Amino acid sequence: MNAKLSQLLIYISVIIAMLLLTVVLIEVVMSPPLADLIFLIASLGITSLVSAAFGFLSHRLGWWRRLPHIRQTLILGYILAGGLALINIWLTAKLMFINQHDLILATILLIFAGGISIAFGYFISNSITHDLQILVFGAKEISKGDFATRVSVSGEDEVAQLALAFNQMAARLENTAETERALDEARRNLVAWASHDLRTPLASLKVMLDAMAEGIVNDPETIERYLKQSQNEVSQMSILLDDLFELAQLDAGYLDLEFQRISLSDLISDTLEGFSAKAKAKSISLQGSITDEVDPIWAAPDKISRILDNLVSNALRYTPSGGNIFIEAQLNDDQVLIEVRDSGSGITPKDLPHVFDRFYRGEKSRTRNEKNQSGGIGLGLSIVKGLIKAHGGEIGVNSELGSGTTFWFTLPKHASS
């Protein structure tokens, strides 16, 4: 049953119910003769039918919506309701009353009651339309781009619910606009930083290759050194392009994860072994601990290796000589908790909430030692967060200046059902 048919049935049911209630009250209170009662029923029935037909016709033809203001529509509704009531009662009274004086008095009193009803309707309509005017003003401000606009909410009726929904919509639009501004700034930063990070190694490559091609450099030792430097520059550019490609896959939701049962212990051991030479060169202790109940887990091994490599590499970058880095994995209910702790310089409280933001430069988040000036475009931790979320896990960081940093993340031990 559609809404319009339901409203029509309710409208007719109320009119019939009021007609029956009126007849019952007259019978109980006045006990008129049967002939008078039948005549009264016929009179009330006719006037009720006429009133119902008029109300339905005006609704069907949309007369109520043709006025420019809701206030006028509400006042007109009160006038018509009062007028119909006046006509119904006057006709019935004229048919039933014998005393002309009483009929005139009843007519005057009905006119007075109708006037009071219209005045009341005007007052109530102003209250309703005032709130609607506030909503209209708010909507116009939103259309101008002022998404910080909010409207006052009073009462619990449909207008109040509309105002509440308006404020919620405005808040979402404001958040969306802020996100778009942030993304637009991030895109500009991407172009600037990627151009810089690609231009620098390309310029270095050009200088070295030109020197070798033009014979400026011809001794074997220098040529060998230039070739190794060229390989390093190409490797850095390859890493940058891989990061950009993987970030694009994460944003598009096209990341291909090949889940399988894997040994997290083996992955952590491989990570420790892979970074042992770098750690030894910086006199940093690199160790790990994995509890027996952790293995196996359900994950994509290449992505977990990428996550571990990124976090350990990040820890090595900011841990001074003589420091230590520790990887720990343990089972926590149905989740595996992995922590990468270092004794580095730590992250400032101001920068801590932003370490996972894309394009966030490491120089802002952690203090570098003088011998380590290498940086990135600020995608590594953002990619790590995306990979962990793709596994159904969470990631976080705890840090204090001078006391080191702990990156932690969780992974589901079993495949999601």
Side-chain angles (χ1 to χ4, degrees), residues 101-117:
H101 176 271
D102 291 342
L103 178 61
I104 294 174
L105 179 61
T107 303
I108 295 174
L109 291 177
L110 286 172
I111 293 174
F112 171 76
I116 295 296
S117 175

Side-chain angles (χ1 to χ4, degrees), residues 9-125:
L9 292 178
I10 293 174
Y11 175 63
I12 295 174
S13 300
V14 170
I15 292 177
I16 295 174
M18 293 308 301
L19 175 62
L20 295 176
L21 178 61
T22 302
V23 172
V24 170
L25 289 175
I26 291 176
E27 172 64 24
V28 172
V29 175
M30 303 181 65
S31 300
L34 181 59
D36 291 344
L37 181 61
I38 294 174
F39 179 76
L40 180 63
I41 293 174
S43 301
L44 292 176
I46 293 173
T47 54
S48 298
L49 181 62
V50 173
S51 299
F54 178 80
F56 174 75
L57 185 62
S58 61
H59 172 72
R60 186 72 176 180
L61 297 178
W63 293 345
W64 303 106
R65 307 306 301 272
R66 295 185 180 181
L67 296 175
H69 302 289
I70 294 179
R71 180 190 296 109
Q72 297 173 354
T73 301
L74 293 174
I75 294 174
L76 179 60
Y78 278 100
I79 292 175
L80 291 177
L84 289 173
L86 175 62
I87 293 173
N88 285 330
I89 296 175
W90 188 85
L91 288 176
T92 304
K94 183 173 180 61
L95 293 172
M96 299 297 297
F97 285 0
I98 299 175
N99 192 326
Q100 186 69 18
H101 176 271
D102 291 342
L103 178 61
I104 294 174
L105 179 61
T107 303
I108 295 174
L109 291 177
L110 286 172
I111 293 174
F112 171 76
I116 295 296
S117 175
I118 293 171
F120 178 77
Y122 174 79
F123 180 74
I124 295 300
S125 65

Side-chain angles (χ1 to χ4, degrees), residues 205-218 223 226:
L205 277 172
K206 185 178 185 303
V207 170
M208 290 184 290
L209 292 174
D210 287 347
M212 289 185 290
E214 295 173 4
I216 299 175
V217 174
N218 50 26
I223 291 176
Y226 275 19

